[in-house]
């Protein structure tokens, strides 16, 4: 059968300890597949010698020529579909309905307050977020002595007043920048790794909503917006 001839495996690169299947970071793999090039001969700058998207970009900008990516092996032919079973054999009997009993209503009083248009949108977005976005929670205990000392040093020597929350947000942003696999979202069929880091934190008081955003290497100023 016709098709592209497979490319021979790249020679081992000194200092590389990562497995072949993990050689490329997700962003680098997506870029190599989109350009149909075999970049395994590159010396990666990632952890344990992994090849990053930046490594590929620098090599291409330098004029490096890569061999074509090997064509994937053809999928085996699907087995012929079995003859459809009869409706009586395929459909199991339905279970009997479950009775939940009578719903008891209490006479406990309550007060209903009207929500503004903004609050309705916030409620709708939060509900959709928890319904459609996977969530998982991790707890860890951390000693913040060095961070608290650094915060005092900023105040005493540089007259910079920051909160512990500011430093935590900054650390989270730097971590996402250094681990791009964690800075991604699911588009329905594949994971998309973001090129920038964007962290937003919002809080609300009686008369204003305060929000702050961290982008890349800096952060915008916190601003207050009156509630409608």
């Amino acid at each position: 059968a016709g098709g592209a001839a497979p490319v021979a495996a790249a020679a081992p690169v000194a200092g590389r300890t990562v497995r072949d299947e993990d050689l490329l970071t997700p962003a680098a793999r997506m870029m190599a597949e989109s350009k149909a090039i075999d970049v395994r001969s590159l010396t990666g700058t990632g952890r344990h010698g992994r090849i990053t998207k930046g490594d590929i970009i620098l090599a291409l900008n330098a004029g490096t020529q890569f061999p074509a990516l090997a064509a994937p092996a053809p999928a085996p032919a699907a087995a012929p579909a079995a003859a459809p079973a009869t409706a009586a054999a395929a459909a199991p009997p339905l279970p009997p309905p479950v009775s939940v009993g009578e719903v008891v209503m209490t006479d406990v009083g309550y007060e209903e307050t009207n929500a503004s248009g903004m609050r309705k949108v916030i409620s709708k977005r939060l509900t959709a977020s928890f319904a459609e976005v996977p969530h998982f929670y991790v707890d860890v205990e951390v000693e913040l002595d060095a961070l608290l000392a650094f915060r005092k040093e900023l105040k005493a020597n540089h007259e910079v007043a920051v909160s512990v929350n500011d430093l935590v947000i900054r650390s989270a942003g730097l971590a996402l920048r250094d681990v791009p696999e964690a800075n991604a979202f699911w588009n329905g069929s594949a994971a998309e790794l973001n090129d920038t880091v964007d962290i937003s934190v919002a809080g609300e008081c009686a008369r204003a909503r305060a929000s702050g955003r961290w982008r890349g290497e800096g952060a915008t100023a916190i601003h207050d917006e009156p509630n409608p």
Side-chain angles (χ1 to χ4, degrees):
V7 177
V13 177
R16 179 182 291 169
T17 59
V18 66
R19 299 180 302 175
D20 288 344
E21 56 267 29
D22 298 327
L23 178 57
L24 276 67
T25 64
R29 186 178 302 279
M30 291 176 64
M31 185 174 189
E33 291 177 352
S34 66
K35 296 182 178 294
I37 55 177
D38 187 347
V39 299
R40 292 174 296 168
S41 59
L42 274 178
T43 300
T45 60
R47 193 173 185 181
H48 302 302
R50 296 186 77 188
I51 298 172
T52 67
K53 180 180 178 181
D55 296 331
I56 302 177
I57 294 175
L58 290 176
L60 292 175
N61 290 340
T64 303
Q65 297 294 324
F66 295 104
L69 195 63
T86 60
L94 295 176
V98 177
S99 175
V100 296
E102 181 182 358
V103 178
V104 180
M105 304 297 293
T106 65
D107 56 355
V108 177
Y110 65 91
E111 179 182 357
E112 183 177 285
T113 59
N114 294 327
S116 64
M118 177 179 294
R119 289 185 179 273
K120 291 178 180 178
V121 172
I122 292 174
S123 176
K124 182 178 180 180
R125 294 290 186 269
L126 289 176
T127 302
S129 172
F130 272 89
E132 301 173 1
V133 179
H135 286 68
F136 67 94
Y137 304 91
V138 179
D139 294 331
V140 62
E141 293 185 2
V142 179
E143 292 185 3
L144 295 179
D145 296 350
L147 183 141
L148 296 176
F150 175 65
R151 179 169 173 259
K152 290 182 179 179
E153 179 183 349
L154 289 176
K155 178 67 175 178
N157 299 338
H158 306 283
E159 297 183 354
V160 176
V162 295
S163 67
V164 173
N165 198 43
D166 295 332
L167 297 175
V168 171
I169 295 172
R170 172 73 175 179
S171 301
L174 293 176
L176 289 173
R177 182 197 65 183
D178 295 340
V179 186
E181 294 85 355
N183 185 29
F185 66 91
W186 184 254
N187 64 10
S189 60
E192 294 189 8
L193 279 67
N194 297 300
D195 293 330
T196 60
V197 175
D198 189 359
I199 298 178
S200 295
V201 178
E204 188 168 352
C205 54
R207 295 176 178 269
R209 188 181 75 258
S211 63
R213 174 169 293 177
W214 188 97
R215 284 184 180 274
E217 293 295 334
T220 61
I222 291 178
H223 59 279
D224 291 336
E225 300 176 4
N227 280 332

